Amino acid sequence: MSIVHRLRHGLRIIRGRVFRRLGLTDKTVIKVYHGYGHASQLVLYGHVFRQSALPRKRYRQSVLNNTWALLRLFMVKPLPNVRLRTQWQGQVLETVADRDGFYKFEWQDIPPLEQGWHELTVEMLGPEREVLHAGSGSLYIPHATQYGFISDVDDTFLISHSANLRKRLFVLFTQNARSRRPFEGVVKHYQLLAAGNTSPDAPNPFFYVSSSEWNLYEYLLEFTRVQSLPRGVFLLNVMKQVRELLNTGQSNHQGKFARIVRIIEGFPKQRFVLLGDSSQRDPYIYESIVRHFPGRIHAVYIRDVYRKSRVDVLEVVGKIEAAGVPVCFFRHSEEAILHSRKIGLISDAAAARELSAGDPDAAKGQVG
């Protein structure tokens, strides 16, 4: 090995050590997000990166550590235009990542499909079709239940202060996925909804549709896991860079409408319940969904977190109710649980049991 080659090799080693010290990697990483299947159509999303954050292993409650951990999630460099391959039930599927490193597999199978969660591997192919890198993830085929649930994230179940930029950024930078708190009672409500009118081995499906970016996917996944929220499929917003961090979760609400439409269109025989909050555009998006899909929306839940928008939101609530869809505009999750019991989403016995048990570990405060 020549001196030049040895020098380059040594610099690569040093660079790798510095990156690891910073919680970053300059190695190719294939992210595979939760995909989902419906009828005969299946879809799987992900990103390919040439630089990304290493998975967080320690969750010490330190402002400095939490701030750096958040910044790392936005210090990504995509690897565009690479060919990818996955396999499903004997089918070999290929696609190409776009300029942002984002990829999507869409394919069909012959029903009936095996319901539940399925593990898949996505491989990156070289010029000779050799496997260069691989990543793994899951695809969810919901059980044939009566209802599906589409929920927002920020200020719907996760306290985020979305209407106040200063508070929102403060929480993002100083807390982490394990120290952030849900609203009081919301976990029990979601657990009851997932189990309502079905059996434990066939829960109602949950889809988490948010204006937050794919940068926060693992963050949100860890939060829902730690809090024991129903396991579900995330559909998030386009990836952002560090320079765009101050605008996280604040844009492309129209894209959120389109993502919800794709879910509802994908399950033509299922009725849906929409859950959101009053801090941003959820009431208006959901009112549009109700008009777009007459007879398909069973109920709408809007958490009242922003008093300045209350009058306008009540006007939208009236429009949804005029379309024949029940609306629960609530401040406390106990109200939402009682409403869900009233319209038959959860049983009287289950609701009474959970309300009497309480939820002492959840956050007490409200937003707004």
Side-chain angles (χ1 to χ4, degrees), residues 111-159:
L113 305 179
E114 184 181 352
Q115 296 162 333
W117 290 91
H118 303 262
E119 299 300 313
L120 285 91
T121 298
V122 174
E123 301 168 330
M124 182 177 127
L125 303 178
E128 304 299 325
R129 303 187 62 77
E130 72 276 21
V131 176
L132 300 179
H133 304 279
S136 60
S138 303
L139 183 143
Y140 182 47
I141 299 178
H143 297 269
T145 59
Q146 188 173 4
Y147 301 111
F149 295 87
I150 299 174
S151 175
D152 178 48
V153 175
D154 291 309
D155 287 326
T156 296
F157 61 79
L158 172 62
I159 297 175

Side-chain angles (χ1 to χ4, degrees), residues 34 103 154 157 165 182 246 346:
H34 285 168
Y103 67 85
D154 291 309
F157 61 79
L165 179 61
L246 295 182
I346 56 180

Side-chain angles (χ1 to χ4, degrees), residues 212-284:
S212 292
E213 298 77 18
W214 285 114
N215 307 69
L216 297 172
Y217 176 75
E218 273 88 8
Y219 185 108
L220 296 175
L221 202 64
E222 179 68 7
F223 176 84
T224 56
R225 185 193 68 80
V226 169
Q227 297 297 333
S228 298
L229 282 154
R231 188 182 183 188
V233 175
F234 283 86
L235 288 90
L236 305 180
N237 207 346
V238 295
M239 192 76 64
K240 280 189 169 69
Q241 300 295 319
V242 172
R243 63 181 180 277
E244 304 169 290
L245 181 56
L246 295 182
N247 295 320
T248 178
Q250 302 294 310
S251 61
N252 198 19
H253 297 293
Q254 193 60 34
K256 184 175 181 179
F257 173 85
R259 293 192 292 276
I260 295 174
V261 167
R262 285 201 300 271
I263 295 169
I264 298 175
E265 287 181 341
F267 297 89
K269 297 181 180 180
Q270 197 156 33
R271 301 190 75 196
F272 284 88
V273 175
L274 309 178
L275 303 107
D277 64 88
S278 64
S279 67
Q280 294 183 315
R281 301 298 301 174
D282 286 348
Y284 306 93

Side-chain angles (χ1 to χ4, degrees), residues 50-82:
R50 58 186 178 89
Q51 176 182 302
S52 59
L54 292 169
R56 188 168 184 178
K57 297 180 179 179
R58 299 178 181 177
Y59 284 86
R60 291 176 294 182
Q61 188 50 29
S62 158
V63 172
L64 184 61
N65 287 338
N66 289 335
T67 298
W68 179 246
L70 178 71
L71 289 172
R72 289 190 298 115
L73 299 179
F74 290 82
M75 298 173 67
V76 292
K77 293 182 180 179
L79 186 57
N81 307 319
V82 294

Side-chain angles (χ1 to χ4, degrees), residues 165-359:
L165 179 61
R166 181 182 59 81
K167 287 185 177 181
R168 174 175 170 78
L169 292 177
F170 179 79
V171 169
L172 269 175
F173 278 102
T174 61
Q175 301 294 317
N176 61 61
R178 295 186 182 177
S179 63
R180 295 281 295 274
R181 304 301 297 162
F183 287 93
E184 182 179 6
V186 71
V187 173
K188 290 299 181 185
H189 186 208
Y190 279 40
Q191 290 173 342
L192 287 167
L193 292 175
N197 302 299
T198 187
S199 59
D201 59 341
N204 292 310
F206 263 79
F207 298 87
Y208 300 113
V209 183
S210 174
S211 295
S212 292
E213 298 77 18
W214 285 114
N215 307 69
L216 297 172
Y217 176 75
E218 273 88 8
Y219 185 108
L220 296 175
L221 202 64
E222 179 68 7
F223 176 84
T224 56
R225 185 193 68 80
V226 169
Q227 297 297 333
S228 298
L229 282 154
R231 188 182 183 188
V233 175
F234 283 86
L235 288 90
L236 305 180
N237 207 346
V238 295
M239 192 76 64
K240 280 189 169 69
Q241 300 295 319
V242 172
R243 63 181 180 277
E244 304 169 290
L245 181 56
L246 295 182
N247 295 320
T248 178
Q250 302 294 310
S251 61
N252 198 19
H253 297 293
Q254 193 60 34
K256 184 175 181 179
F257 173 85
R259 293 192 292 276
I260 295 174
V261 167
R262 285 201 300 271
I263 295 169
I264 298 175
E265 287 181 341
F267 297 89
K269 297 181 180 180
Q270 197 156 33
R271 301 190 75 196
F272 284 88
V273 175
L274 309 178
L275 303 107
D277 64 88
S278 64
S279 67
Q280 294 183 315
R281 301 298 301 174
D282 286 348
Y284 306 93
I285 293 172
Y286 292 175
E287 192 270 332
S288 296
I289 291 290
V290 168
R291 284 190 285 108
H292 199 77
F293 294 99
R296 298 289 310 282
I297 306 304
H298 184 71
V300 173
Y301 287 82
I302 300 293
R303 186 180 293 277
D304 179 13
V305 296
Y306 189 48
R307 60 176 60 92
K308 291 182 180 180
S309 70
R310 194 167 294 154
V311 173
D312 292 335
V313 170
L314 284 171
E315 182 179 345
V316 178
V317 166
K319 292 180 180 179
I320 298 174
E321 290 177 331
V325 177
V327 181
C328 181
F329 187 41
F330 65 99
R331 283 190 62 81
H332 303 285
S333 291
E334 287 81 0
E335 303 168 51
I337 292 174
L338 291 172
H339 183 273
S340 296
R341 180 173 66 176
K342 179 180 178 181
I343 65 173
L345 288 173
I346 56 180
S347 71
D348 289 349
R353 183 170 61 251
E354 295 301 342
L355 286 172
S356 63
D359 193 7

